[in-house]
Amino acid sequence: MKKLSLLILITALTFSCGNKKSKSESEPEPENITQVNPAENYSGTASITQGIATTITEDIYTCDRGRKTDVGEISSTDGKTWIVPAKTHYLNNDFPFATDLHNSCEGLNYDTAEEALANFNAANTITIDNDGETYTAYIFADNYFEMYVNGEPVGKDKVPFTQFNSSVVKFKVKKPFTIAMKLVDWEEHLGVGCEENRGKSFHAGDGGLVAVIKDAQNNIVSSTNNTWKAQTFYTAPIEDLSCVSEEGNYRYSKNCSTEGGQDGANFYALHWETPTDWMATDFDDSNWPNATTFTNKTIGVDNKPAYTNFTSIFDDPEQDAKFIWSTNVILDNEVLVRYTVE
């Protein structure tokens, strides 16, 4: 009986060892790892990234009850590195800050434009042409802007994210002059264009710009509308890359979901390189799409004093300024706009 028991034990061990598989052979791949090359579902000109970016700078600006203003870095499938939500001049001391029209973060809550202008420091006027005329720009941006006139920086937003603020910029220039602005919808979750909101950890944010430019006689010489040019350079979150399309220089994400979710690991983002001279007067923007306009309700400004205190300017009954953006105010997160005042 002892010999028989030993034989059975040896046989069992031999069978067990002979059929043992390696971990790579026996264990399935985790379900959350994408097995398909994302580029297979995309035929456009953008670089593709997936998931959350690495934070490289924390809180470039802090504000009570404001969201984090971090900056991140992420690599795309074609080996390029991208700064998200955008590469800006916020920390560049040579690029001037705009003057506050309304800024709860700084305790500067003017009730009227006249009150704000009475406190404007004339030294903050940017001179481009010594023999030019002085113009005043009133700006409400969701969330961040950098403004150039004839390629010269004239003002950047003090509050990159929240709380919502509005600004005034003065500059001296001769007509015609070209306005160029970088617009950024900041993000709480870097690399996927999302923030925690409305019960979702990854809720897609939205953008929007309204601006009015007046001359020294208080006449409106320009306000944002669909004759401005607008091009997008960063779109996210994208759940399925087959939803995006391009027609020449038109970059469309109108067929993409804006639902967001509770996890951004599998969200994609699209990035396009910005031209180095996009703010220059002689830059050719003729093939850029015209800006898309949006209502006050769509942007959601009815409860924001930074806007409602100045509706006499932004909602002038004879020349109402429109909120503008690219074709997708929710998914497009970095947009460049241009307009020439004749």
Side-chain angles (χ1 to χ4, degrees):
M1 291 295 292
K2 289 183 178 179
K3 290 183 178 180
L4 180 59
S5 298
L6 181 60
L7 179 61
I8 292 172
L9 177 61
I10 293 171
T11 302
L13 289 172
T14 302
F15 180 83
S16 174
C17 293
N19 287 275
K20 186 175 181 179
K21 294 183 178 180
S22 67
K23 182 177 179 181
S24 61
E25 292 176 321
S26 61
E27 293 184 4
E29 293 292 329
E31 292 183 355
N32 63 344
I33 295 179
T34 302
Q35 299 296 321
V36 179
N37 180 355
E40 293 180 1
N41 294 325
Y42 178 71
S43 58
T45 59
S47 297
I48 304 168
T49 61
Q50 182 178 12
I52 308 300
T54 299
T55 300
I56 57 175
T57 307
E58 287 196 63
D59 288 324
I60 61 173
Y61 181 82
T62 57
C63 173
D64 288 343
R65 301 187 303 280
R67 293 182 181 270
K68 285 181 67 61
T69 53
D70 297 347
V71 177
E73 184 179 83
I74 191 167
S75 296
S76 52
T77 56
D78 55 3
K80 297 178 181 179
T81 299
W82 302 88
I83 301 298
V84 289
K87 188 175 182 180
T88 72
H89 287 285
Y90 191 84
L91 298 177
N92 179 359
N93 293 329
D94 293 329
F95 200 117
F97 279 109
T99 296
D100 291 310
L101 188 58
H102 188 284
N103 186 349
S104 296
C105 292
E106 304 289 338
L108 296 171
N109 301 324
Y110 297 119
D111 293 324
T112 65
E114 290 74 19
E115 184 181 358
L117 292 177
N119 290 278
F120 186 90
N121 185 347
N124 292 332
T125 301
I126 304 300
T127 298
I128 299 166
D129 298 317
N130 288 324
D131 56 346
E133 183 177 353
T134 298
Y135 296 89
T136 303
Y138 302 89
I139 302 161
F140 178 97
D142 182 358
N143 299 106
Y144 174 78
F145 76 88
E146 293 176 353
M147 182 176 181
Y148 299 82
V149 173
N150 288 353
E152 298 292 328
V154 296
K156 62 186 176 187
D157 209 330
K158 280 188 180 177
V159 184
F161 206 165
T162 60
Q163 298 185 38
F164 290 96
N165 66 310
S166 50
S167 308
V168 59
V169 174
K170 281 181 175 283
F171 51 92
K172 192 174 183 180
V173 69
K174 294 191 297 184
K175 284 185 177 180
F177 59 88
T178 299
I179 300 167
M181 300 180 72
K182 172 176 284 192
L183 310 177
V184 182
D185 177 22
W186 218 267
E187 54 191 12
E188 191 172 24
H189 297 301
L190 298 173
V192 292
C194 292
E195 60 195 46
E196 186 173 352
N197 201 0
R198 302 181 185 180
K200 295 179 180 178
S201 297
F202 288 80
H203 182 278
D206 57 8
L209 166 78
V210 64
V212 174
I213 296 91
K214 293 188 173 187
D215 62 18
Q217 291 74 44
N218 205 39
N219 299 311
I220 296 175
V221 298
S222 179
S223 58
T224 45
N225 56 41
N226 61 4
T227 64
W228 288 49
K229 294 290 187 175
Q231 182 62 290
T232 182
F233 290 87
Y234 169 37
T235 300
I238 302 295
E239 296 182 35
D240 180 356
L241 287 167
S242 65
C243 72
V244 296
S245 61
E246 294 184 28
E247 298 176 17
N249 282 283
Y250 286 71
R251 300 163 182 173
Y252 290 114
S253 54
K254 58 187 177 182
N255 295 321
C256 300
S257 170
T258 58
E259 291 300 313
Q262 302 299 340
D263 182 7
N266 286 323
F267 284 154
Y268 299 107
L270 302 179
H271 308 260
W272 291 267
E273 294 184 10
T274 58
T276 56
D277 59 344
W278 69 270
M279 73 291 288
T281 303
D282 58 356
F283 177 79
D284 183 8
D285 59 21
S286 60
N287 60 0
W288 281 15
N290 283 4
T292 303
T293 60
F294 300 89
T295 65
N296 292 359
K297 183 177 180 180
T298 298
I299 303 300
V301 294
D302 290 342
N303 62 343
K304 296 177 174 60
Y307 182 88
T308 57
N309 283 8
F310 312 100
T311 53
S312 62
I313 293 176
F314 296 130
D315 292 327
D316 184 279
E318 295 183 1
Q319 195 168 339
D320 181 25
K322 305 296 185 183
F323 274 97
I324 64 169
W325 204 251
S326 58
T327 55
N328 196 326
V329 76
I330 297 177
L331 297 183
D332 292 345
N333 304 310
E334 181 184 1
V335 175
L336 303 182
V337 300
R338 289 173 50 91
Y339 183 80
T340 297
V341 178
E342 300 293 345

